[in-house]
């Protein structure tokens, strides 16, 4: 144990003397959190909508005011339909609403009237926003004017919003981004440590001591686990205390599963570092293995169910996939035993496999 604690002390001294460790563990996650909070927004809150009211009835005119008063829509009234279509084609508008000239007459005669909602289908998500926003404004207007919804040929949705009542994308993006920041902290930090030992020549000095393979692996894991868990707690503090995100789960469960995810990421970094004994090469590979999968294939930005079969199967070996699923539900919905259990099982399996590979690939002498 004296050998192990001496090696751990050496690792902590190296961490404190190396400013890049503090930069990766705390400064980089802070910058990423600020970007995810204030720079990235998948909510389409500024819809440019064209409005053409061919019916001059005062009730129909009030519909135009309803669109203008909506905080999510910027309306522009048109008299020329061709000009409005041209602005849609030129991407100046994301959609348009047209009320035909026989709208009031049709309703008064007891027949079904139509309101035309046009969207730009080149951007699917924006088109869905335009349709839902326009439908919502029309329904609210119908309630205030006395018309019944059955008189307008639109679907009557009954919306019930759970967990994220404000429909704020930051509520799930920012917690999910912890998978990205922890991947960088866990993989990038540990990917450099063994390669650094070889480049600086300190590995030869370590191998000349009574330090065993078990001591070496345990010391590396323990030292950078402490640094990584401090980074995790710091990021959770930012989300809850600084960015005011709701947290409905258990802090203990978050700590335990977060620790498991961190150990898994550290296993990837140490495996890269033991195989590639060059810091630059290890850094490049760790970024490819850590940052890109966490951003693109974890389900943070793009749903896994919509991916092609090959990429869906590929995500099964990515630890970020399981941590994103866990932490988003932990923040928004609370601790759900089924989600916690299945993600913990997969992370445990990956962690043990990586630990075994790191142990087997760690050299205890200069020549095999």
């Amino acid at each position: 144990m004296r050998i192990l604690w001496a090696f751990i002390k050496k690792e902590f001294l190296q961490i404190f003397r190396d400013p890049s460790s503090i930069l990766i563990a705390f400064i980089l996650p802070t910058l990423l959190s600020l970007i995810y909070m204030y720079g990235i927004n998948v909510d389409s809150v500024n819809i440019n909508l064209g409005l053409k009211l061919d019916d001059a009835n005062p009730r129909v005119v009030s519909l135009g005011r309803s669109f203008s008063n909506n905080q999510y829509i910027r309306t522009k009234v048109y008299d020329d339909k061709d000009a409005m279509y041209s602005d849609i084609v030129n991407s100046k508008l994301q959609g348009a609403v047209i009320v035909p000239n026989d709208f009031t007459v049709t309703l008064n005669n007891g027949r079904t009237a139509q309101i035309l909602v046009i969207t730009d289908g080149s951007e699917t998500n924006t088109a869905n926003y335009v349709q839902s926003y326009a439908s919502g404004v029309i329904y609210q207007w119908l309630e205030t004017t006395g018309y019944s919804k059955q008189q307008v040929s639109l679907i009557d949705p009954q919306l019930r919003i759970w967990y994220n009542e404000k429909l704020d994308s930051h509520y799930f993006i920012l917690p999910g981004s912890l998978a990205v920041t922890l991947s960088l902290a866990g993989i990038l930090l540990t990917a450099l440590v063994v390669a650094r030992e070889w480049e600086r020549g300190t590995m030869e000095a370590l191998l000349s001591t009574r330090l065993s393979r078990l001591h070496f692996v345990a010391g590396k894991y323990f030292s950078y686990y402490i640094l990584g868990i401090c980074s995790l707690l710091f990021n959770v503090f930012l989300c809850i205390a600084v960015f005011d995100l709701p947290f409905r789960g258990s802090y203990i469960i978050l700590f335990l599963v977060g620790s498991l995810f961190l150990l898994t990421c550290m296993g990837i970094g140490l495996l890269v570092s033991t195989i590639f004994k060059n810091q630059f090469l290890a850094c490049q590979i760790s970024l490819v293995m850590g940052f890109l999968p966490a951003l693109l294939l974890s389900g943070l930005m793009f749903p896994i169910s919509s991916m092609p079969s090959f990429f869906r199967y590929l995500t099964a070996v990515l630890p970020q996939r399981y941590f994103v699923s866990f932490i988003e539900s932990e923040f928004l919905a609370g601790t759900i035993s089924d989600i916690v259990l299945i993600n913990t099982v997969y992370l445990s399996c990956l962690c043990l496999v990586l630990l075994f590979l790191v142990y087997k690939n760690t050299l205890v002498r200069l020549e095999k």
Side-chain angles (χ1 to χ4, degrees), residues 307-344:
M307 296 178 184
S309 300
F310 171 77
F311 290 100
R312 288 203 304 271
Y313 295 134
L314 179 62
T315 60
V317 297
L318 299 178
Q320 295 89 349
R321 166 185 176 172
Y322 306 107
F323 189 67
V324 167
S325 172
F326 159 77
I327 199 167
E328 287 182 349
S329 66
E330 198 71 14
F331 265 82
L332 293 177
T335 302
I336 301 174
S337 57
D338 290 344
I339 294 179
V340 173
L341 180 60
I342 189 170
N343 291 314
T344 301

Side-chain angles (χ1 to χ4, degrees), residues 23 144 187 295:
L23 177 68
T144 59
I187 298 177
L295 184 64

Side-chain angles (χ1 to χ4, degrees), residues 68-96:
S68 300
N69 294 332
N70 189 282
Q71 60 177 331
Y72 301 110
I73 300 174
R74 290 197 295 258
T75 58
K76 182 178 180 181
V77 179
Y78 287 83
D79 294 325
D80 185 359
K81 182 170 63 177
D82 293 333
M84 184 172 65
Y85 288 164
S86 176
D87 285 345
I88 294 177
V89 172
N90 294 324
S91 298
K92 295 180 180 179
L93 299 176
Q94 282 80 50

Side-chain angles (χ1 to χ4, degrees), residues 47-52 81 84-85 88-89 93-99 115-121 126-131 134 138 154:
I47 294 293
N48 294 317
L49 191 69
L51 190 62
K52 190 173 187 299
K81 182 170 63 177
M84 184 172 65
Y85 288 164
I88 294 177
V89 172
L93 299 176
Q94 282 80 50
V97 174
I98 300 176
V99 180
I115 295 178
L116 182 61
V117 179
I118 303 173
T119 62
D120 181 3
T126 303
N128 291 330
Y129 280 121
V130 171
Q131 183 178 0
I138 293 171
L154 294 174

Side-chain angles (χ1 to χ4, degrees), residues 10-11 23 48 59-60 67-68 101 118 120 130 149 192 195 220 279 292 296 331 345 355 357:
K10 171 257 181 190
E11 289 296 314
L23 177 68
N48 294 317
R59 285 185 173 181
V60 176
F67 276 103
S68 300
N101 54 11
I118 303 173
D120 181 3
V130 171
K149 295 179 183 179
L192 301 178
K220 293 292 185 182
Q279 287 192 77
L292 293 179
L296 301 177
F331 265 82
V345 169
L355 176 60
L357 293 175

Side-chain angles (χ1 to χ4, degrees), residues 51-66 99-109 113 115 141-142 144-147:
L51 190 62
K52 190 173 187 299
L53 306 178
D54 293 333
D55 194 331
N57 188 283
R59 285 185 173 181
V60 176
V61 174
S62 67
L63 174 61
R65 291 195 296 268
S66 297
V99 180
N101 54 11
D102 61 345
F103 179 80
T104 303
V105 175
T106 303
L107 285 179
N108 292 336
N109 291 335
I115 295 178
W141 171 74
L142 288 172
T144 59
T145 55
Y147 290 129

Side-chain angles (χ1 to χ4, degrees), residues 11-19 21-22 223-224 227:
E11 289 296 314
F12 276 116
L13 289 175
Q14 181 173 308
I15 290 173
F16 293 141
R17 292 171 181 172
D18 185 6
S21 299
I22 306 301
S223 304
Y224 286 92
L227 181 61

